[in-house]
Amino acid sequence: MRLVYVQLLTLFFVVNEAAAQFNTEPVVTVNPSLSVNQIRPGDSFKILVKAEIDPEWHINSHQPLEEFLIPTVVKFDSVPGVEINQIHYPEGQLRRFQFSEQPLSVYDGAVTVWAEVRAKRDLPPGNLKLSGKFFYQACNDVSCLAPAEAPFEITAAVVDAAAPVAVQPESNEGELGQLQGERGAENQISALISGKGLVVALLAIFIGGLALNLTPCVYPVIPITVSFFVGQASGRIGRSFMLALVYVLGMALTYSLLGVAAALTGGVLGSSLQNPLVLIFIALVFVVFAAGMFGAFEIRMPAFLNKLAGGSKQGVFGSLFMGLTVGIVAAPCIGPFVFSLLTYVAAQGDPYLGFLMFFVLSLGLGLPFLALGTFSGLIKNLPRSGEWMIWIKKVFGVIMIGVAVYFISTLISETLYVILLTAVAVVGGVWVGFWDRSKASFSGFKIVKPAIGALLILFGAWTSVSAWQQANAPQMNWQPYSAALVELAKQENRPVLIDFYAEWCIPCKQIEKTLFSDPAVVRKSAEFLTLKADLSKDESDEVKAIRQTYRVVGVPTIVLLDRRGNEFRRFTDELVKFKPEEFLEVMEAANQ
């Protein structure tokens, strides 16, 4: 159980009853083309393979995030006189789905794969047939079809070496070099908004923005900035509010554009996050950030940048300019937090999400300025800067260490990940909450300090307890599928539960962790013969026979047989959303 890290995607194979009749239409249509109108011996050219994907489906990219996932691959048939050299695949889009918290690298809409090809000098003139297969696995938001292949073929004319050749416009090399899978009509941000967690994430980012105001780089400038608004407004609340609002909007513009830029340029980072060396480097960066928060060193901005950002100008434009450049002054303290958010947004590759997250961050940063600028009398109630602000940096340092552990979570075992995360939370909580001797001039600090420490300790305890509960959850008594066992259960007048799964099927694992680990379901399963049928090797004769016998096209599929050996109920994609009590009712009915 990785509590903080995102749980991988899911593939797999779940279709409705109609699909079980083996007559589903292909969801991927492949159209090959050449970069030239005809081929000359000795020339190099390109073969473009464009796949049109049904809008309701997506396919895995060429480099999925996990080794067990089935990638998209193009294979060309061997042709005498033609050399197929390097094959180029576009970057995958990182998208989230209902069955997973971690993004999945996929293609949707339309995607073009192209190969560098060379015609040998002894290639004879005439018609040349170039063919191959496009291997893929298609999935929707809750299920996947079986791995499939789409054959393609194109015939080209081989002409004399002196004949003219025209380059086809759609094969522009610059465009191919930057080629990305084209997005479907559905916007990622709408899917994220409709899913779980985005509102909570935005709330956390907003609170994080508020908390960043307490850092030593931001807090001391709040009174100065607010005094600027009040002085410009000459006692008029409306004028003061407008200046503060323009300041916050300038800040929002800067950070929002930063988020959009990170998303638009994040394709390289998104794919790089699959590289262990990149993950280790990012983790080390956060460790360095943490060391800075703990006081090992201090990051200072160049004097000319501080002067540029701090130079006050009059009126609305002055407020806007201060808002646009406030990030320069605050960078040494808020940089680590912004960097972590930039890393996440870049990995998502969604400019709408990048804009939204950084806009919410800037609202959190700007809310105190807006409130204090409008009601300037409140500023006298602010605590004075002091040693407690150094303590705030230490709290952020502990969080940075936790983020570093998160980034290496996929490189270490589950047990080690839980141990490290628990240790960071508990040790950090004891240190910043109870061991650290920082003090403050306001009385509330005596409550806030141990409260933050206690929250960190509780988080660490919750992490370890949750991991222990998952490791010790009740398990069903599964046996490998056997036709003989099914026949024996029929003779014994015993119902049968068959779980058709695959090693790479993440929804299967989700069902195992939720539905099949429910204590009531486990107890009830003792009345059944519970079998697991492994369909991982889809091309084996044994798997084909099982699939044909039970009409299974996708996984997860659960089949319940009654006491007479007849099929009582079949579950496919709807099982992921099934509640244990609903499944218990079906089990009870099957056992009548």
Side-chain angles (χ1 to χ4, degrees), residues 15 82 84 151 162 207 249 289 305 307 311 316 323 326 415 474 492:
V15 289
V82 175
I84 304 292
I207 295 174
L249 290 177
F289 281 152
L305 288 178
K307 183 177 179 180
V316 172
V326 67
T415 301
E492 296 176 349

Side-chain angles (χ1 to χ4, degrees), residues 45 111 206 249 281 296 318 320 369 452 472:
F45 59 96
V111 62
F206 179 79
L249 290 177
F281 172 76
L320 178 63
F369 293 91
I452 295 297
N472 293 275

Side-chain angles (χ1 to χ4, degrees), residues 143-391:
S143 63
C144 293
L145 301 176
E149 61 182 51
F152 59 85
E153 178 180 308
I154 187 171
T155 301
V158 180
V159 297
D160 185 82
V165 172
V167 177
Q168 305 288 16
E170 63 269 19
S171 64
N172 180 274
E173 187 170 357
E175 293 181 3
L176 289 175
Q178 301 297 325
L179 196 59
Q180 299 288 334
E182 299 174 20
R183 296 182 182 269
E186 180 183 4
N187 195 309
Q188 288 190 48
I189 190 65
S190 62
L192 282 167
I193 291 175
S194 62
K196 297 180 180 179
L198 182 61
V199 174
V200 176
L202 293 177
L203 179 61
I205 293 171
F206 179 79
I207 295 174
L210 282 174
L212 290 174
N213 284 292
L214 301 178
T215 59
C217 304
V218 180
Y219 190 83
V221 304
I222 292 178
I224 300 173
T225 306
V226 171
S227 297
F228 169 80
F229 301 147
V230 175
Q232 292 281 309
S234 302
R236 292 173 293 172
I237 293 181
R239 173 71 173 174
S240 179
F241 172 80
M242 185 187 68
L243 293 175
L245 180 62
V246 170
Y247 175 84
V248 173
L249 290 177
M251 185 190 305
L253 179 61
T254 297
Y255 285 110
S256 299
L257 291 177
L258 188 64
V260 171
L264 292 176
T265 60
V268 174
L269 178 59
S271 60
S272 298
L273 289 178
Q274 304 171 37
N275 189 323
L277 294 178
V278 174
L279 294 174
I280 293 173
F281 172 76
I282 293 177
L284 290 175
V285 169
F286 278 103
V287 171
V288 172
F289 281 152
M293 292 294 180
F294 295 147
F297 56 87
E298 184 176 357
I299 302 175
R300 291 182 177 273
M301 296 297 294
F304 76 94
L305 288 178
N306 280 326
K307 183 177 179 180
L308 174 66
S312 298
K313 296 178 173 57
Q314 299 297 311
V316 172
F317 289 105
S319 296
L320 178 63
F321 182 78
M322 290 173 63
L324 291 171
T325 58
V326 67
I328 298 175
V329 176
C333 291
I334 71 173
F337 185 90
V338 172
F339 178 77
S340 62
L341 194 57
L342 282 173
T343 303
Y344 175 80
V345 168
Q348 302 303 301
D350 188 338
Y352 301 99
L353 182 64
F355 178 89
L356 181 61
M357 285 189 164
F358 275 87
F359 185 80
V360 170
L361 173 68
S362 60
L363 291 182
L365 271 167
L367 182 61
F369 293 91
L370 187 62
L372 295 172
T374 305
F375 307 102
S376 56
L378 297 175
I379 199 169
K380 63 182 180 182
N381 297 321
L382 288 177
R384 293 183 179 180
S385 302
E387 189 178 352
W388 65 273
M389 300 184 67
I390 305 300
W391 176 82

Side-chain angles (χ1 to χ4, degrees), residues 443-456:
S443 58
F445 185 69
K446 295 180 180 179
I447 300 175
V448 172
K449 185 169 173 282
I452 295 297
L455 286 175
L456 287 171

Side-chain angles (χ1 to χ4, degrees), residues 472-491:
N472 293 275
Q475 301 293 327
M476 295 173 65
N477 183 26
W478 295 106
Q479 299 182 56
Y481 171 81
S482 165
L485 287 176
V486 175
E487 184 62 30
L488 180 61
K490 181 179 179 180
Q491 295 174 9

